[in-house]
Amino acid sequence: MQNPLRFLLFVAAAVAWRAVASKTEEDKDWSKATATFYGGGDASGTMGGACGYGNLYWSEYGTNTAALSSPLFDDGKACGQCYRIKCDGGASEWCLQGKSVTVTATNLCPSNSEGGWCDPPRKHFDMSQPAWLQIAVYKGGIVPVLYQRTPCVKQGGVRFTIAGANYFELVLITNVAGSGSVKSVWVKGSKTDRMVMSRNWGVNWHSLADLVGQALTFGVTSTGGQTLVFPDVVPAWWKFGQTFTSNQQFTS
């Protein structure tokens, strides 16, 4: 007859092993980093930033945002990317257990060359305070975190804001879903050939052609590899400072 105690011990060990295996499987797609917070309780101090989104309330990026250390920021190529972040509860008492938050990269956390948390090669998220408080306790100050890329979810279509002056069009591309970030852009005026645009800074792309008075078509390739063409998304009567919303959006 089988020993009942031995059988119960076997079952308990099997359950424990499955729990460990399940946690290992869950965490294998996560990377380690650290996180702090900035910007105040209403995130007003996070407006602007190195990606160029400007007022994050108006551009609908909201308060769940983060500034990335340079290894993650990648000279602005990460602007618009979305990350799911959770506090590493096994390494800090300040974590809110079982909680996670999705943030959008909207800024650079600059290095200070004095061993700061944002100095290379460290991977660090300087999160908005409202985002931080969803995963950690305020007085923790800095916590170890686990993070992973996640698709960005947006309402409505991709938006194009035109700035600059004659012979210099600076185009801010926002509300990008899917991978969230842009790899390359081209523009075609109704009277010109297609021209490749250059990344000026963050999510701002520029062209050195006189496109005033022309309807503008853009081709945008996301870092996820999807290319969308936005025919005449900017009408010929456009003025500098205006924003135009397309009826197309990137997929996850």
Side-chain angles (χ1 to χ4, degrees):
M1 180 176 178
Q2 190 176 32
N3 187 318
L5 178 59
R6 181 177 298 176
F7 176 74
L8 289 174
L9 289 173
F10 172 79
V11 171
V15 170
W17 180 86
R18 286 181 182 176
V20 171
S22 176
K23 181 169 176 34
T24 301
E25 182 71 20
E26 177 188 353
D27 289 345
K28 73 176 184 178
D29 293 328
W30 295 76
S31 300
K32 292 185 176 182
T34 51
T36 48
F37 64 87
Y38 79 117
D42 61 356
S44 59
T46 65
M47 299 300 112
C51 288
Y53 290 116
N55 188 313
L56 298 176
Y57 302 143
W58 176 83
S59 57
E60 298 186 17
Y61 284 88
T63 60
N64 281 359
T65 61
L68 310 186
S69 62
S70 56
L72 291 170
F73 189 72
D74 194 17
D75 293 325
K77 297 181 181 66
C79 287
Q81 292 179 359
C82 296
Y83 298 84
R84 184 181 172 206
I85 300 176
K86 62 182 180 179
C87 195
D88 189 353
S92 175
E93 63 180 310
W94 305 114
C95 294
L96 297 180
Q97 301 295 333
K99 302 295 185 179
S100 67
V101 62
T102 297
V103 299
T104 303
T106 58
N107 203 356
L108 168 67
C109 183
S111 60
N112 60 19
S113 301
E114 297 178 1
W117 290 105
C118 290
D119 288 355
R122 289 174 173 156
K123 294 182 177 180
H124 184 80
F125 294 86
D126 199 11
M127 303 167 63
S128 71
Q129 185 175 321
W132 159 278
L133 291 176
Q134 295 180 57
I135 63 168
V137 177
Y138 179 89
K139 68 177 183 178
I142 181 165
V143 293
V145 296
L146 301 173
Y147 74 93
Q148 61 181 195
R149 286 280 305 278
T150 188
C152 298
V153 178
K154 302 295 178 186
Q155 299 297 318
V158 177
R159 300 182 189 128
F160 300 84
T161 300
I162 316 296
N166 290 351
Y167 294 98
F168 179 74
E169 286 76 31
L170 188 66
V171 181
L172 172 68
I173 302 175
T174 59
N175 204 52
V176 177
S179 65
S181 50
V182 175
K183 180 180 180 181
S184 62
V185 183
W186 57 258
V187 62
K188 182 185 182 306
S190 52
K191 301 176 184 177
T192 63
D193 295 329
R194 192 170 83 173
M195 295 167 281
V196 174
M197 302 188 76
S198 299
R199 187 190 300 273
N200 191 281
W201 62 285
V203 288
N204 288 277
W205 298 77
H206 76 260
S207 171
L208 301 178
D210 184 6
L211 299 175
V212 174
Q214 300 184 54
L216 305 181
T217 294
F218 292 95
V220 180
T221 300
S222 72
T223 55
Q226 183 181 7
T227 298
L228 292 180
V229 176
F230 302 86
D232 297 335
V233 65
V234 176
W237 47 261
W238 64 268
K239 304 293 183 183
F240 291 109
Q242 291 182 309
T243 297
F244 300 90
T245 302
S246 73
N247 59 4
Q248 297 184 83
Q249 186 54 271
F250 290 90
T251 57
S252 302

